[in-house]
Amino acid sequence: MTNKIAVLAGDGIGLEIVAEALKTLQCLQQDFGFSVELEPAAIGGAGYDQFGKPLPDETLAVCRQADAILFGAIGGPQYDRLERDLRPEKGLLNLRSALALFSNLRPAILYPQLASASSLKPELVAGLDIMIVRELTGGIYFGQPRGIRVLENGERQGFNTLVYAEHEIERIARSAFDISMLRNRRLCSVDKANVLEVSELWREVVTRVAGDYPDVELSHLYVDNASMQLVRAPKQFDVIVTTNLFGDILSDTAAMLTGSIGMLPSASLDSSGKGLYEPVHGSAPDIAGRNLANPLATILSLAMMLRYSLQQAQLAELVETAVGRVLDQGIRTADIAGGGASVGTAEMGDAVVAALRKLGG
Ligand code: NAD
């Protein structure tokens, strides 16, 4: 079976890091018999430049037909003055909505080789392996009404709406319980049920869904406590499930526990397992075009794609092992080199391919 992959490199370092992930993919094709058809398409600033829209219709059509989407990054200072609907970020938000990619998987894994890169003590973070499942298409980022209005006294007031319907809570809870079943079967649901009615409903629905997963141990934490626990004793967590806004913040905290944003992959899935795979970081305009970006987050995103959308768990493991071997060899891009010797984006991509070839015998 040929797997159709939409390739949306986007802006800034997106182009460089996706090119390296494609090298890995090509190696899987040549050496491991993996059959793939690539469909490149424009998104973000590139979409605006070519088609006048951050999510061109052509791109959405390509993504709808694909089995999975490999995404680089979007954004750049040259687009900051565009009206909100034309900005690159809108392309990604619209794509997630259009494809109903409601379940955002953000692993925070600390490779033992990089334990010193964390700002926390190595004993607190060594071996860290957390999965944060963030609701991605609802909550305060999408709730209506929203805007900035002028009050009677002439003062301006900004407002947003935090809403979650039961079905939205139920499907993200199920997604998180399913992932917990593949891991250590411990799920922590994070909310603010002591203050917010939305959170009260969230907690009630998650608890109800837990009835269908008797093997998973469910706990609840308020978001303020969860953020403290993440930096106090992060290894207590296995899977965390939470809302769009809380997940946005907590997953960045978890990301920093691992020391480098250039190492962190992510996935956004729909209810059938189709997904968009992208590094957690942005388009890094400060280093774009200079062969400095770390491509490993994107290569690890490809591994997640193989596991979660393309049912190729063995190939996923091979790619992850290859990344581990490269780190074992001491090969580092500047962001993870701690001031030591470093290689460029392309050299890191080549090193992963070389390690992969060796694993293939
Ligand atoms: P950023 O993640 O692009 O960069 C933050 C810092 O991390 C920078 O110093 C950058 O050089 C570094 N960095 C990021 N990725 C790296 C990598 N792979 N290797 C080495 N270093 C890396 O965040 P930002 O600077 O706040 O945003 C830049 C642009 O990216 C903005 O336009 C923003 O809107 C956009 N953005 C896009 C996404 C996305 O595409 N999903 C996510 C976040 C930000």
Side-chain angles (χ1 to χ4, degrees):
M1 193 190 98
T2 300
N3 301 279
K4 264 197 188 172
I5 301 179
V7 180
L8 276 49
D11 309 317
I13 61 168
L15 304 166
E16 299 160 74
I17 54 181
V18 164
E20 299 314 311
L22 293 183
K23 281 185 191 166
T24 295
L25 204 49
Q26 199 180 13
C27 173
L28 293 177
Q29 258 180 305
Q30 288 170 350
D31 293 26
F32 297 86
F34 180 60
S35 178
V36 70
E37 197 184 305
L38 302 179
E39 294 262 10
I43 185 95
Y48 174 77
D49 290 341
Q50 288 175 42
F51 298 95
K53 281 195 208 177
L55 175 59
D57 301 340
E58 294 79 352
T59 300
L60 183 56
V62 164
C63 291
R64 283 196 197 285
Q65 279 168 18
D67 299 309
I69 302 154
L70 181 64
F71 191 98
I74 39 118
Q78 67 272 45
Y79 305 109
D80 285 350
R81 292 223 187 98
L82 291 174
E83 67 178 83
R84 195 162 287 277
D85 277 349
L86 294 178
R87 285 196 204 152
E89 294 73 16
K90 200 70 186 173
L92 181 55
L93 288 175
N94 288 348
L95 184 59
R96 286 171 179 164
S97 292
L99 299 182
L101 303 173
F102 67 90
S103 180
N104 186 211
L105 276 46
R106 299 256 316 237
I109 296 173
L110 186 60
Y111 282 82
Q113 301 92 325
L114 301 178
S116 61
S118 175
S119 49
L120 295 196
K121 295 184 199 112
E123 63 266 29
L124 285 183
V125 287
L128 182 78
D129 183 356
I130 304 176
M131 177 71 87
I132 297 192
V133 180
R134 164 188 170 196
E135 199 290 325
L136 202 58
T137 53
I140 199 161
Y141 290 178
F142 294 92
Q144 294 288 346
R146 61 188 294 161
I148 298 174
R149 60 191 161 208
V150 181
L151 300 175
E152 274 176 14
N153 66 4
E155 188 188 8
R156 289 188 305 155
Q157 183 187 55
F159 56 101
N160 291 88
T161 306
L162 174 56
V163 279
Y164 270 113
E166 276 184 285
H167 78 272
E168 292 175 296
I169 305 172
E170 175 158 351
R171 67 182 182 179
I172 191 70
R174 286 197 185 282
S175 180
F177 276 108
D178 286 342
I179 286 157
S180 302
M181 290 293 287
L182 299 173
R183 295 175 47 105
N184 294 322
R185 304 187 173 192
R186 284 185 295 113
L187 176 63
C188 178
S189 171
V190 172
D191 61 40
K192 190 72 184 166
N194 50 342
V195 178
L196 301 172
E197 287 79 1
V198 178
S199 280
E200 254 176 59
L201 183 68
W202 176 278
R203 195 173 273 224
E204 188 191 310
V205 173
V206 172
T207 305
R208 188 177 72 217
V209 172
D212 293 341
Y213 296 86
D215 295 335
V216 178
E217 182 192 317
L218 173 67
S219 59
H220 301 274
L221 277 186
Y222 297 139
V223 64
D224 39 349
N225 189 10
S227 68
M228 282 198 300
Q229 297 301 329
L230 263 180
V231 289
R232 192 186 71 83
K235 284 195 270 183
Q236 68 183 284
F237 295 109
D238 179 25
V239 181
I240 292 175
V241 63
T242 191
T243 60
N244 203 342
L245 173 63
F246 296 161
D248 193 0
I249 298 164
L250 291 182
S251 56
D252 271 13
T253 305
M256 275 326 291
L257 297 177
T258 71
S260 174
I261 197 163
M263 292 295 300
L264 295 170
S266 78
S268 306
L269 307 178
D270 73 5
S271 48
S272 71
K274 174 170 169 167
L276 179 148
Y277 296 82
E278 59 172 329
V280 161
H281 59 74
S283 58
D286 53 334
I287 58 168
R290 294 165 54 198
N291 195 37
L292 283 175
N294 185 347
L296 293 181
T298 314
I299 292 171
L300 292 168
S301 299
L302 174 66
M304 287 186 83
M305 174 192 291
L306 292 164
R307 177 173 290 117
Y308 291 108
S309 285
L310 305 180
Q311 285 73 50
Q312 296 284 348
Q314 270 181 326
L315 291 184
E317 223 171 294
L318 273 173
V319 173
E320 287 160 354
T321 306
V323 169
R325 293 280 159 88
V326 166
L327 295 175
D328 285 341
Q329 292 164 47
I331 299 173
R332 306 277 189 270
T333 43
D335 58 312
I336 52 172
S342 60
V343 302
T345 311
E347 293 71 30
M348 181 57 103
D350 292 341
V352 173
V353 169
L356 200 53
R357 290 232 152 93
K358 267 198 189 150
L359 287 169

